[in-house]
Amino acid sequence: MMFRSNPPSINMTVVGFGQAGSRIADKLAAYKMRDGNSTYNVLALNSNDGDLEELKHITQENRVSLKLGGLGKNPEKAMSILEENSQAKETLKQFITQKVRTQDKLVLFIAGLGGGTGTATIVKAIEEFHEFHNMGIVKNALLDIRKSTDDSDFKANFKKYQVQAFNKVKDQFVKIGVIATIPVRSDGPDVLRQVNEFASKIWALAKNPAKGIAFVNFPDNQMFYDRFVSDPNSQKQAKNYRDFANDEISSIIHEINTGTNGSGTSVIFDSNDFRRIVMEKEGCFVINRLEVDYKSVSNSDDLSKLFVKSIESNNLHDPIALIETNDNGDKQYAKVHHIGLLGIIPPDLNRFGSSFIDNAKEDVVKHLPLQGTIFSGFLVEPNNYKISVYSFYKTDALPSRLSKGLVKEYEEYMAKQRSITFKEDSIQQIAVTSEEDIDLGLDLSDFGIDSSTEPEEPDENIEWMDFSNIDPNSIN
Amino acid sequence: MEIQLHDKYINVEFSSEQVSMFTDIVEEDLAMKRILLTIAQHADAHKNESDLNSGISIKQLSEKVIIKRKVQKDGKSKKYTISETNIDRKHVERIVDSLSNMTLCYFKSFHPTKVIFLTPRGRSIATELIRRQIAKPIPSSKE
């Protein structure tokens, strides 16, 4: 268990929104390093005091209540309550802008989609945090550019200069990681419909490089429920599927964050490399963990195969749809950015040497459409007589349940049960924004340039003028 | 410009000052103005068709564009009159060469002919020409 006490590869502030988010965050708050200090700075925000009192490890001063008495499992209504209640809005804004430590390179926002508080506050929090912490840096860079040119050139090339400023400072951003759990089917079609919309919003933000979101992960409560009821071992360790889910999510994240900052073997994972995997590019961060009894492995080949198997196992959600066949029968591959492979091997298996990790890399690359680099490493230490193998990567694809659409999935489930007919519905894929099209949401008025003094433009949309109906011979 | 050169610089845009400058240059020559707008009009009218059809040839330009020019009376007479008629083919070729050198249009070879297309820069000039045309005050009936 030693590696779990390592300092983390990525120092992060963890913020739990709502009941589910706070409880997952509370699990992370329990982890301590060897010097006795907490591994993470953890905060919790909820709409009422009651849920916050149940937390065990998050300190009192790091708990904030919006004092709204709960938001009634209706995220849409929760959003409008938040908008209308200026006190709650101000509390949320202060919480995000002042309590979050920015010496950390990553802020991890966690919420359960569906309950109301977490869903509504996490979207607002992402926008407020990015605006406060990151857009200020972009604006300063734009001001520098403005000093080197005149108003008319700045106005004419405003879009180009925005992209220039963004590219110059994006490495200084404090990035956001988002973990948003999706609900069980039995929460009902209204919740599923709303969660569908909020998940789409979060995914759209996550795919936009201008929003500073390093990754998103959508752990699936339905999958945790199915696993919990079918596995007696899980039922021994947790009271219910929610506790089981909270343990799984927090432990996997913590283990890869600390296991990638270990030492002592010939192939160690570099913490910088882990930061690259997590922070570079955007998309869904897929994390898998496979644990087997060490006696089930008899040679180096068996060890290598565990890594490929770990990619096929799914701890937090349904398989990611990396390959899809379109209507023409062509295969379309989702991009996979950097890949990380980490092994925790008990000392008894040290005799296998280190070649297994090289073979594992070769095998894994055949299974994933890799665009970036594959990083790997292993630690040798007692691990309860188990081998733990982790694979993690970022991709622009979604878990199948989410990409298919939660409402559609609910209707299919009901149809199986009661043979009802249903209509087609689907979640829209969000296209990746190219850097030239980044919209940072900035306005010329932020830079003291009044765009309203421009003479009124003719009604035609000049940029997209259609010439097909003009008569050139009538023009003098 | 040839298509290869066009592809290489396809993303190069004119600044607003440059648009203004090139529009001033084109506007001074009515024939050039009408040729440029005819290329634009043809491209948009045929945008959903094949590559070949969405471009316009020199011959088509000389058939479409009308200007005031000297025309020989009665074919063989040495007397010329000014009349509104189709632009001369050689004149079209010279204008298209000028537009191409200004990077406002490019051509592709479809043997045995060459077909002309508008570049994005040419489109911005055409747009500015129309914008100025729209913005021109309507002459008073008293004038």
Side-chain angles (χ1 to χ4, degrees), chain A residues 233-271:
Chain A
N233 280 335
S234 309
Q235 291 168 28
K236 285 178 198 165
Q237 291 161 16
K239 288 181 231 170
N240 51 51
Y241 82 90
R242 287 181 296 276
D243 278 348
F244 170 63
N246 297 345
D247 280 334
E248 283 280 282
I249 296 167
S250 56
S251 64
I252 288 178
I253 288 169
H254 176 67
E255 283 165 17
I256 60 172
N257 197 15
T258 48
T260 52
N261 199 18
S263 60
T265 64
S266 55
V267 187
I268 56 159
F269 211 111
D270 188 324
S271 57

Side-chain angles (χ1 to χ4, degrees), chain A residues 9 185 204 221 314 325 454 457 465:
Chain A
S9 288
R185 282 179 218 114
N221 275 338
N314 302 287
T325 310
E454 277 285 290
E457 296 286 346
M465 187 175 278

Side-chain angles (χ1 to χ4, degrees), chain A residues 462 467-468 473 475-476, chain B residues 33-34 41 44 64 66 127:
Chain A
I462 296 297
F467 297 103
S468 53
N473 292 326
I475 293 180
N476 294 309
Chain B
K33 189 169 161 182
R34 288 183 178 176
Q41 187 273 334
D44 283 357
K64 283 189 169 193
I66 294 172
T127 305

Side-chain angles (χ1 to χ4, degrees), chain A residues 16-17 27 32 61 89 157 178 196 241 283 291 313 319 329 338 350 368 398 400 411 418 435 443 467:
Chain A
F17 295 92
K27 295 275 182 187
K32 301 240 187 283
E61 62 268 21
K89 222 163 94 172
N157 294 297
V178 177
N196 208 40
Y241 82 90
E291 279 186 335
S313 71
H338 305 308
N350 209 7
L368 293 176
L398 284 167
S400 348
E411 286 169 342
R418 296 175 199 162
E435 283 210 344
D443 198 69
F467 297 103

Side-chain angles (χ1 to χ4, degrees), chain B residues 10-60:
Chain B
I10 193 169
N11 289 322
V12 172
E13 287 176 0
F14 284 155
S15 66
S16 50
E17 252 187 334
Q18 285 165 329
V19 167
S20 192
M21 179 181 75
F22 281 99
T23 309
D24 288 344
I25 292 171
V26 170
E27 238 183 355
E28 281 190 349
D29 182 343
L30 182 62
M32 184 180 278
K33 189 169 161 182
R34 288 183 178 176
I35 293 272
L36 182 71
L37 290 173
T38 305
I39 298 172
Q41 187 273 334
H42 183 93
D44 283 357
H46 297 89
K47 66 182 172 219
N48 294 325
E49 296 175 28
S50 67
D51 226 4
L52 179 63
N53 286 339
S54 64
I56 191 168
S57 66
I58 299 283
K59 186 180 173 194
Q60 283 172 306

